[in-house]
Amino acid sequence: MIRTILLLPSVLAFLQTAQAHRLAYKPVEFALGESNGFVLEANATGQDNPWVWGQDKPWVWYAPTLPRHPDPSHTWYVDRLLAKGISLAGCDQGEVRGSPKSVEVFTKFYHEMISRGYSKKPVLLGQSRGGLMMLSWAVKNPDRVGGFAGIYPVLNLRSWPMKRNFGPTLADFGMDRDTFSRVVDEHNPINHLAGLAKAKVPICIVHGDSDRIVPLEENSAVVAERYRKLGGEAKVEVVPGKGHQVVDGFFKSRELIEFMIKRSTP
């Protein structure tokens, strides 16, 4: 009985880590106020990795970071990033939707990563609602972004957040329905892409043409169209016949992984 009690804390710690990331890696985890950060540290000595000592460490910033994200569906990407000396990191704030308050916390996380020796220009990878988290931060920090990547990302506050997830969206912004409806366009990142285009931040997204939860036309397509009109580079790889699901077209995209590797490294 005594031995079981003594082992219990370590068992619990293992289970919490497994639940937190469910990947075959051991993350470095740290507190950031009321939020939690993690880093899957790359092996910076591999032969295939272009990083050299003296340079800031390259990294991809993933969202949403939640108790069950990232998960095993991301393994194909993570394996290839780590093999190239590129770390994966994220900040868990819970179910945020790009409010000024959540953007401020993400900025604190960014500075924490910089203080740990990581690159000042990470690639942002937003999946589903994580797209809104990342784009909301990116449009306010265009000179701190190496590239924007997305897996069927939510990018438009007037799409999934207002049509399917209004409660958590209002909670993040601290507003009632009427107030938010009046100011939504001020906070909608799709209306503030000019800074990213001016900074020449490229965009690469994979999105299904049958996505009923996060429609392609209301999110990735509209962002790509607006971005190109602003002179920005935007590529959307459309996966035919697929929706909001875990399939190889989204989670084993050669174009997306090549983009993240190229934009993460000098």
Side-chain angles (χ1 to χ4, degrees):
M1 176 64 75
I2 294 175
R3 178 178 297 177
T4 301
I5 293 172
L6 290 174
L7 289 175
L8 188 56
S10 61
V11 174
L12 287 175
F14 170 81
L15 291 175
Q16 287 168 353
T17 299
Q19 182 186 33
H21 301 286
R22 297 192 297 167
L23 289 164
Y25 314 96
K26 183 177 180 181
V28 175
E29 297 180 291
F30 54 91
L32 193 70
E34 296 180 357
S35 303
N36 296 301
F38 85 91
V39 183
L40 295 180
E41 177 64 57
N43 176 6
T45 60
Q47 291 183 347
D48 293 335
N49 124 52
W51 180 81
V52 297
W53 293 105
Q55 294 178 340
D56 293 335
K57 296 181 287 186
W59 59 296
V60 170
W61 182 352
Y62 172 82
T65 297
L66 295 166
R68 294 187 178 276
H69 289 279
D71 63 36
S73 67
H74 304 97
T75 300
W76 190 87
Y77 289 129
V78 176
D79 283 347
R80 282 152 182 79
L81 290 173
L82 297 185
K84 292 292 186 179
I86 302 168
S87 300
L88 183 78
C91 177
D92 182 2
Q93 293 191 60
E95 292 288 356
V96 295
R97 300 288 180 264
S99 69
K101 182 180 178 180
S102 67
V103 168
E104 183 179 342
V105 174
F106 279 140
T107 299
K108 292 178 181 178
F109 172 74
Y110 168 84
H111 286 301
E112 175 65 25
M113 291 295 293
I114 302 310
S115 74
R116 291 170 179 255
Y118 290 91
S119 169
K120 296 178 177 65
K121 286 194 172 185
V123 169
L124 311 186
L125 173 58
Q127 176 187 337
S128 191
R129 58 197 183 278
L132 188 60
M133 300 177 193
M134 291 289 86
L135 189 60
S136 296
W137 188 84
V139 297
K140 294 183 179 180
N141 297 274
D143 295 327
R144 295 171 171 173
V145 181
F148 184 92
I151 301 171
Y152 43 67
V154 178
L155 302 172
N156 183 357
L157 275 171
R158 287 190 174 276
S159 182
W160 176 81
M162 289 187 71
K163 293 179 178 180
R164 288 175 171 264
N165 202 250
F166 213 0
T169 302
L170 294 177
D172 183 36
F173 280 85
M175 299 180 187
D176 59 34
R177 181 181 295 264
D178 291 341
T179 302
F180 183 80
S181 297
R182 287 196 300 270
V183 302
V184 57
D185 291 331
E186 298 174 21
H187 296 285
N188 200 339
I190 69 170
N191 297 328
H192 305 286
L193 300 170
L196 285 172
K198 183 178 180 180
K200 301 186 182 303
V201 176
I203 293 174
C204 183
I205 294 170
V206 288
H207 209 133
D209 62 6
S210 299
D211 196 328
R212 296 181 179 179
I213 298 173
V214 182
L216 170 66
E217 296 77 10
E218 298 176 1
N219 293 276
S220 298
V222 70
V223 164
E225 180 182 5
R226 292 186 180 191
Y227 205 60
R228 290 169 187 148
K229 287 181 179 179
L230 291 167
E233 176 188 341
K235 169 68 175 179
V236 179
E237 178 185 353
V238 178
V239 182
K242 299 301 181 183
H244 217 70
Q245 59 197 111
V246 178
V247 295
D248 286 355
F250 300 123
F251 291 91
K252 292 184 178 181
S253 167
R254 294 276 178 192
E255 189 163 13
L256 195 63
I257 188 63
E258 289 173 3
F259 173 84
M260 289 191 285
I261 291 171
K262 179 180 179 180
R263 297 305 306 180
S264 296
T265 53

